[in-house]
Amino acid sequence: EPEVTQTPSHQVTQMGQEVILRCVPISNHLYFYWYRQILGQKVEFLVSFYNNEISEKSEIFDDQFSVERPDGSNFTLKIRSTKLEDSAMYFCASSPSTAIPYEQYFGPGTRLTVT
Amino acid sequence: AQRVTQPEKLLSVFKGAPVELKCNYSYSGSPELFWYVQYSRQRLQLLLRHISRESIKGFTADLNKGETSFHLKKPFAQEEDSAMYYCARGETSGSRLTFGEGTQLTVNP
């Protein structure tokens, strides 16, 4: 069964550095998402992406964040200048169609640690 | 803002006992409700969606619009049901999911 994959599984970076988190969504899916989960807190929506542009973003998704689908298979989340509070688990998800009911398929996550 | 509330962070039952994980959502629009499960060291995966009215792994969930609830139930819990359970709502196709805080279910032998 096809799955969403994410790399790396764990990323450690220093405050102020740029990081790129990578995701390969399921191949025939149309919608792509990033969520994050700070330790001990709920899973929070960051951004959704459809037809090569952002379709929705949350208040968390400020100018430090950007997303890209550079080559038709990868979907990346870039954090330009990381802060300590960006430490979290980042989940990528993809969704197959515009029909309801829809469901989002999640990747295993990337644990980002900012020191 | 849309809200999903799971009042119990931890729930512990014995094998064979009934289990109910509570979920309430804020009343607005026509939400789609889901239950996601995360077993230890595994990814979030969809367990149930309200529109399908299905039973998966013995779990069912009924949408109660009057009480704005979508509680997850299973009549006889099994040890392999131990996991983190998240209730979530979506609004329209392709939109964000809003998650509850999650309930850690432990089924004791």
PDB file of all heavy atoms in Angstrom, chain A residues 49-65:
ATOM      1  N   PHE A  49      -1.716  22.850   0.364  1.00  0.00           N
ATOM      2  CA  PHE A  49      -1.129  23.188  -0.946  1.00  0.00           C
ATOM      3  C   PHE A  49      -1.886  22.413  -1.999  1.00  0.00           C
ATOM      4  O   PHE A  49      -2.080  21.202  -1.892  1.00  0.00           O
ATOM      5  CB  PHE A  49       0.336  22.760  -0.909  1.00  0.00           C
ATOM      6  CG  PHE A  49       1.203  23.273  -2.010  1.00  0.00           C
ATOM      7  CD1 PHE A  49       1.782  24.527  -1.926  1.00  0.00           C
ATOM      8  CD2 PHE A  49       1.497  22.481  -3.111  1.00  0.00           C
ATOM      9  CE1 PHE A  49       2.613  25.000  -2.922  1.00  0.00           C
ATOM     10  CE2 PHE A  49       2.329  22.946  -4.118  1.00  0.00           C
ATOM     11  CZ  PHE A  49       2.898  24.196  -4.026  1.00  0.00           C
ATOM     12  N   TYR A  50      -2.340  23.121  -3.022  1.00  0.00           N
ATOM     13  CA  TYR A  50      -3.106  22.477  -4.088  1.00  0.00           C
ATOM     14  C   TYR A  50      -2.834  23.186  -5.387  1.00  0.00           C
ATOM     15  O   TYR A  50      -2.777  24.422  -5.423  1.00  0.00           O
ATOM     16  CB  TYR A  50      -4.605  22.518  -3.754  1.00  0.00           C
ATOM     17  CG  TYR A  50      -5.511  22.068  -4.866  1.00  0.00           C
ATOM     18  CD1 TYR A  50      -5.542  20.738  -5.253  1.00  0.00           C
ATOM     19  CD2 TYR A  50      -6.340  22.972  -5.544  1.00  0.00           C
ATOM     20  CE1 TYR A  50      -6.365  20.306  -6.289  1.00  0.00           C
ATOM     21  CE2 TYR A  50      -7.163  22.556  -6.571  1.00  0.00           C
ATOM     22  CZ  TYR A  50      -7.175  21.221  -6.942  1.00  0.00           C
ATOM     23  OH  TYR A  50      -7.997  20.790  -7.958  1.00  0.00           O
ATOM     24  N   ASN A  51      -2.635  22.434  -6.436  1.00  0.00           N
ATOM     25  CA  ASN A  51      -2.447  23.019  -7.768  1.00  0.00           C
ATOM     26  C   ASN A  51      -1.275  24.004  -7.765  1.00  0.00           C
ATOM     27  O   ASN A  51      -1.368  25.098  -8.340  1.00  0.00           O
ATOM     28  CB  ASN A  51      -3.751  23.711  -8.194  1.00  0.00           C
ATOM     29  CG  ASN A  51      -3.862  23.846  -9.695  1.00  0.00           C
ATOM     30  OD1 ASN A  51      -3.251  23.081 -10.448  1.00  0.00           O
ATOM     31  ND2 ASN A  51      -4.628  24.828 -10.135  1.00  0.00           N
ATOM     32  N   ASN A  52      -0.219  23.602  -7.082  1.00  0.00           N
ATOM     33  CA  ASN A  52       1.038  24.363  -7.043  1.00  0.00           C
ATOM     34  C   ASN A  52       0.949  25.706  -6.342  1.00  0.00           C
ATOM     35  O   ASN A  52       1.758  26.608  -6.620  1.00  0.00           O
ATOM     36  CB  ASN A  52       1.610  24.554  -8.449  1.00  0.00           C
ATOM     37  CG  ASN A  52       2.281  23.300  -8.957  1.00  0.00           C
ATOM     38  OD1 ASN A  52       2.993  22.630  -8.206  1.00  0.00           O
ATOM     39  ND2 ASN A  52       2.031  22.962 -10.195  1.00  0.00           N
ATOM     40  N   GLU A  53      -0.026  25.851  -5.465  1.00  0.00           N
ATOM     41  CA  GLU A  53      -0.032  27.061  -4.663  1.00  0.00           C
ATOM     42  C   GLU A  53      -0.653  26.787  -3.301  1.00  0.00           C
ATOM     43  O   GLU A  53      -1.386  25.807  -3.125  1.00  0.00           O
ATOM     44  CB  GLU A  53      -0.767  28.201  -5.372  1.00  0.00           C
ATOM     45  CG  GLU A  53      -2.196  27.911  -5.736  1.00  0.00           C
ATOM     46  CD  GLU A  53      -2.818  29.053  -6.522  1.00  0.00           C
ATOM     47  OE1 GLU A  53      -2.089  29.792  -7.205  1.00  0.00           O
ATOM     48  OE2 GLU A  53      -4.042  29.202  -6.427  1.00  0.00           O
ATOM     49  N   ILE A  54      -0.346  27.674  -2.359  1.00  0.00           N
ATOM     50  CA  ILE A  54      -0.916  27.543  -1.028  1.00  0.00           C
ATOM     51  C   ILE A  54      -2.407  27.804  -1.112  1.00  0.00           C
ATOM     52  O   ILE A  54      -2.848  28.808  -1.674  1.00  0.00           O
ATOM     53  CB  ILE A  54      -0.241  28.538  -0.051  1.00  0.00           C
ATOM     54  CG1 ILE A  54       1.203  28.104   0.227  1.00  0.00           C
ATOM     55  CG2 ILE A  54      -1.026  28.625   1.251  1.00  0.00           C
ATOM     56  CD1 ILE A  54       1.996  29.101   1.057  1.00  0.00           C
ATOM     57  N   SER A  55      -3.201  26.870  -0.566  1.00  0.00           N
ATOM     58  CA  SER A  55      -4.645  27.079  -0.566  1.00  0.00           C
ATOM     59  C   SER A  55      -5.135  27.598   0.780  1.00  0.00           C
ATOM     60  O   SER A  55      -6.154  28.294   0.840  1.00  0.00           O
ATOM     61  CB  SER A  55      -5.400  25.802  -0.940  1.00  0.00           C
ATOM     62  OG  SER A  55      -4.997  24.729  -0.129  1.00  0.00           O
ATOM     63  N   GLU A  56      -4.428  27.280   1.835  1.00  0.00           N
ATOM     64  CA  GLU A  56      -4.811  27.762   3.158  1.00  0.00           C
ATOM     65  C   GLU A  56      -3.573  27.719   4.059  1.00  0.00           C
ATOM     66  O   GLU A  56      -2.740  26.827   3.918  1.00  0.00           O
ATOM     67  CB  GLU A  56      -5.920  26.880   3.753  1.00  0.00           C
ATOM     68  CG  GLU A  56      -6.537  27.391   5.012  1.00  0.00           C
ATOM     69  CD  GLU A  56      -7.626  26.474   5.568  1.00  0.00           C
ATOM     70  OE1 GLU A  56      -7.878  25.404   4.981  1.00  0.00           O
ATOM     71  OE2 GLU A  56      -8.204  26.833   6.601  1.00  0.00           O
ATOM     72  N   LYS A  57      -3.466  28.688   4.954  1.00  0.00           N
ATOM     73  CA  LYS A  57      -2.388  28.642   5.933  1.00  0.00           C
ATOM     74  C   LYS A  57      -2.896  29.142   7.270  1.00  0.00           C
ATOM     75  O   LYS A  57      -3.844  29.941   7.329  1.00  0.00           O
ATOM     76  CB  LYS A  57      -1.173  29.451   5.477  1.00  0.00           C
ATOM     77  CG  LYS A  57      -1.439  30.909   5.227  1.00  0.00           C
ATOM     78  CD  LYS A  57      -0.180  31.588   4.710  1.00  0.00           C
ATOM     79  CE  LYS A  57      -0.432  33.066   4.481  1.00  0.00           C
ATOM     80  NZ  LYS A  57       0.775  33.774   4.009  1.00  0.00           N
ATOM     81  N   SER A  58      -2.246  28.667   8.325  1.00  0.00           N
ATOM     82  CA  SER A  58      -2.655  29.078   9.659  1.00  0.00           C
ATOM     83  C   SER A  58      -1.834  30.289  10.095  1.00  0.00           C
ATOM     84  O   SER A  58      -0.872  30.687   9.430  1.00  0.00           O
ATOM     85  CB  SER A  58      -2.462  27.931  10.647  1.00  0.00           C
ATOM     86  OG  SER A  58      -1.080  27.730  10.894  1.00  0.00           O
ATOM     87  N   GLU A  59      -2.211  30.804  11.250  1.00  0.00           N
ATOM     88  CA  GLU A  59      -1.497  31.965  11.793  1.00  0.00           C
ATOM     89  C   GLU A  59      -0.073  31.598  12.210  1.00  0.00           C
ATOM     90  O   GLU A  59       0.789  32.467  12.346  1.00  0.00           O
ATOM     91  CB  GLU A  59      -2.283  32.554  12.970  1.00  0.00           C
ATOM     92  CG  GLU A  59      -2.617  31.577  14.085  1.00  0.00           C
ATOM     93  CD  GLU A  59      -3.792  30.670  13.784  1.00  0.00           C
ATOM     94  OE1 GLU A  59      -4.422  30.797  12.700  1.00  0.00           O
ATOM     95  OE2 GLU A  59      -4.079  29.803  14.625  1.00  0.00           O
ATOM     96  N   ILE A  60       0.182  30.304  12.399  1.00  0.00           N
ATOM     97  CA  ILE A  60       1.535  29.866  12.734  1.00  0.00           C
ATOM     98  C   ILE A  60       2.459  30.032  11.522  1.00  0.00           C
ATOM     99  O   ILE A  60       3.653  30.319  11.657  1.00  0.00           O
ATOM    100  CB  ILE A  60       1.540  28.377  13.145  1.00  0.00           C
ATOM    101  CG1 ILE A  60       0.601  28.129  14.324  1.00  0.00           C
ATOM    102  CG2 ILE A  60       2.930  27.886  13.454  1.00  0.00           C
ATOM    103  CD1 ILE A  60       0.338  26.669  14.582  1.00  0.00           C
ATOM    104  N   PHE A  61       1.926  29.860  10.358  1.00  0.00           N
ATOM    105  CA  PHE A  61       2.706  29.839   9.112  1.00  0.00           C
ATOM    106  C   PHE A  61       3.040  31.266   8.716  1.00  0.00           C
ATOM    107  O   PHE A  61       2.391  31.875   7.862  1.00  0.00           O
ATOM    108  CB  PHE A  61       1.904  29.128   8.019  1.00  0.00           C
ATOM    109  CG  PHE A  61       2.719  28.758   6.807  1.00  0.00           C
ATOM    110  CD1 PHE A  61       3.404  27.557   6.761  1.00  0.00           C
ATOM    111  CD2 PHE A  61       2.786  29.602   5.704  1.00  0.00           C
ATOM    112  CE1 PHE A  61       4.147  27.191   5.639  1.00  0.00           C
ATOM    113  CE2 PHE A  61       3.524  29.256   4.582  1.00  0.00           C
ATOM    114  CZ  PHE A  61       4.206  28.050   4.545  1.00  0.00           C
ATOM    115  N   ASP A  62       4.082  31.822   9.370  1.00  0.00           N
ATOM    116  CA  ASP A  62       4.457  33.210   9.075  1.00  0.00           C
ATOM    117  C   ASP A  62       5.539  33.247   8.009  1.00  0.00           C
ATOM    118  O   ASP A  62       5.804  32.251   7.330  1.00  0.00           O
ATOM    119  CB  ASP A  62       4.880  33.902  10.383  1.00  0.00           C
ATOM    120  CG  ASP A  62       6.094  33.247  11.033  1.00  0.00           C
ATOM    121  OD1 ASP A  62       6.843  32.525  10.330  1.00  0.00           O
ATOM    122  OD2 ASP A  62       6.286  33.437  12.245  1.00  0.00           O
ATOM    123  N   ASP A  63       6.171  34.397   7.864  1.00  0.00           N
ATOM    124  CA  ASP A  63       7.136  34.596   6.774  1.00  0.00           C
ATOM    125  C   ASP A  63       8.380  33.725   6.904  1.00  0.00           C
ATOM    126  O   ASP A  63       9.174  33.640   5.959  1.00  0.00           O
ATOM    127  CB  ASP A  63       7.551  36.067   6.711  1.00  0.00           C
ATOM    128  CG  ASP A  63       6.415  36.957   6.278  1.00  0.00           C
ATOM    129  OD1 ASP A  63       5.426  36.412   5.727  1.00  0.00           O
ATOM    130  OD2 ASP A  63       6.486  38.175   6.489  1.00  0.00           O
ATOM    131  N   GLN A  64       8.579  33.124   8.070  1.00  0.00           N
ATOM    132  CA  GLN A  64       9.731  32.234   8.237  1.00  0.00           C
ATOM    133  C   GLN A  64       9.538  30.908   7.506  1.00  0.00           C
ATOM    134  O   GLN A  64      10.486  30.168   7.285  1.00  0.00           O
ATOM    135  CB  GLN A  64       9.948  31.926   9.730  1.00  0.00           C
ATOM    136  CG  GLN A  64      10.272  33.122  10.579  1.00  0.00           C
ATOM    137  CD  GLN A  64      11.713  33.555  10.425  1.00  0.00           C
ATOM    138  OE1 GLN A  64      12.383  33.244   9.443  1.00  0.00           O
ATOM    139  NE2 GLN A  64      12.212  34.281  11.400  1.00  0.00           N
ATOM    140  N   PHE A  65       8.285  30.597   7.193  1.00  0.00           N
ATOM    141  CA  PHE A  65       7.954  29.310   6.594  1.00  0.00           C
ATOM    142  C   PHE A  65       7.676  29.467   5.104  1.00  0.00           C
ATOM    143  O   PHE A  65       7.125  30.486   4.669  1.00  0.00           O
ATOM    144  CB  PHE A  65       6.699  28.708   7.255  1.00  0.00           C
ATOM    145  CG  PHE A  65       6.882  28.286   8.685  1.00  0.00           C
ATOM    146  CD1 PHE A  65       6.619  29.174   9.718  1.00  0.00           C
ATOM    147  CD2 PHE A  65       7.280  27.000   9.000  1.00  0.00           C
ATOM    148  CE1 PHE A  65       6.771  28.781  11.053  1.00  0.00           C
ATOM    149  CE2 PHE A  65       7.424  26.599  10.321  1.00  0.00           C
ATOM    150  CZ  PHE A  65       7.169  27.495  11.340  1.00  0.00           C
TER     151      PHE A  65
END
